[in-house]
Amino acid sequence: MTSFFYFCIINLQYLSIMKIFAIGMNYPEHNKALHGALSKPEEPVIFTKADSALLKDHKPFFIPDHLGNIEYEAELVVRICRLGKTISERFAHRYYDAVTVGIDFTARDLQTKLKAAGRPWELCKGFDGAAALGEWVPVDKFRDIQAIRFHLDINGQTVQEGCSSDMLYKVDEIIAYTSRYFTLKTGDILYTGCPSGCGPVHIDDHLEGYLEDRKVLEFNCK
């Protein structure tokens, strides 16, 4: 009986592990601000974050002082709801069931250094707490996943806003492309890219994220 108990605990821990995918350069104005061009990448720019990057349930974000300038990137986030591999784009809508607002925190100075050296982005994108996540809202609450407006407020002022209609690669395209390289599993999450308006966060900042008029994300920086 004891062996069975520990077997269940181990398997529950295993099942709780999810993958965090993120898309870079998926909004034209953001590309222009950071890269000086509005052009669409030839393929979706995908990177991953460690599971320890996940920040949810209103827990505070502790700004890592050894990483230099930390910037917010508010994004629409999609939750995967079933197992899938090499998913056809026309069936991709069956593989997610909820959306929210998340923040892809970025160590901008480190990112600039890594890009100049031609190195991967994980260190500047996947550190602890770098994937803030709001409360999930079922997809069927919205008319069209590609027509969802979202925004981020800091200390009561709107600092970033966007609409999923402006994505260069749409959600179904991203799902299909990502599943060519990774098996998608229930509970995996996908950050779909950020619009223009990124900026730094500071100690004592109060962040609030909205899907349309619904607040789904709220926490403090420390």
Side-chain angles (χ1 to χ4, degrees):
M1 189 67 168
T2 301
S3 297
F4 176 76
F5 173 79
Y6 282 111
F7 173 82
C8 291
I9 292 296
I10 290 171
N11 276 274
L12 284 172
Q13 290 175 337
Y14 174 76
L15 290 172
S16 68
I17 297 173
M18 99 285 282
K19 299 186 290 298
I20 304 174
F21 300 104
I23 305 300
M25 303 174 62
N26 202 30
Y27 282 80
E29 292 299 329
H30 177 65
N31 292 351
K32 182 179 180 180
L34 286 185
H35 310 290
L38 292 170
S39 59
K40 181 178 180 178
E42 292 185 4
E43 296 179 323
V45 177
I46 297 178
F47 58 95
T48 60
K49 291 174 176 275
D51 58 357
S52 59
L54 193 63
L55 180 73
K56 59 180 184 176
D57 301 326
H58 309 292
K59 293 180 180 177
F61 173 60
F62 290 92
I63 300 174
D65 54 13
H66 66 291
L67 291 181
N69 180 36
I70 305 297
E71 293 193 353
Y72 57 81
E73 296 188 9
E75 310 191 6
L76 185 73
V77 186
V78 175
R79 182 176 69 187
I80 302 301
C81 64
R82 61 192 295 186
L83 184 72
K85 175 70 174 174
T86 58
I87 301 164
S88 168
E89 185 179 329
R90 65 184 177 132
F91 296 126
H93 65 279
R94 301 178 180 178
Y95 288 83
Y96 52 88
D97 65 349
V99 295
T100 190
V101 171
I103 298 179
D104 168 22
F105 281 115
T106 304
R108 193 67 74 196
D109 297 337
L110 179 57
Q111 184 186 41
T112 299
K113 180 179 177 180
L114 292 171
K115 287 169 62 178
R119 294 168 60 187
W121 291 3
E122 273 74 11
L123 292 180
C124 69
K125 291 281 195 176
F127 54 89
D128 289 355
L133 188 68
E135 299 168 1
W136 294 110
V137 179
V139 170
D140 60 16
K141 296 294 184 182
F142 302 94
R143 176 180 59 82
D144 183 352
I145 195 170
Q146 295 302 159
I148 300 176
R149 294 190 175 277
F150 59 95
H151 69 272
L152 173 69
D153 290 1
I154 297 183
N155 303 326
Q157 299 294 320
T158 298
V159 295
Q160 190 172 26
E161 53 189 335
C163 183
S164 57
S165 62
D166 295 327
M167 290 180 182
L168 295 172
Y169 285 99
K170 308 307 182 185
V171 173
D172 290 358
E173 292 179 278
I174 296 169
I175 295 290
Y177 182 83
T178 304
S179 72
R180 289 166 52 187
Y181 300 92
F182 302 94
T183 297
L184 301 182
K185 297 182 178 181
T186 301
D188 287 350
I189 58 179
L190 173 64
Y191 286 68
T192 58
C194 80
S196 62
C198 304
V201 289
H202 307 92
I203 292 174
D204 294 329
D205 278 348
H206 181 66
L207 280 68
E208 298 170 293
Y210 292 79
L211 281 179
E212 302 292 349
D213 295 325
R214 183 196 299 243
K215 185 194 295 187
V216 294
L217 177 70
E218 183 174 14
F219 63 95
N220 295 314
C221 292
K222 295 188 174 182

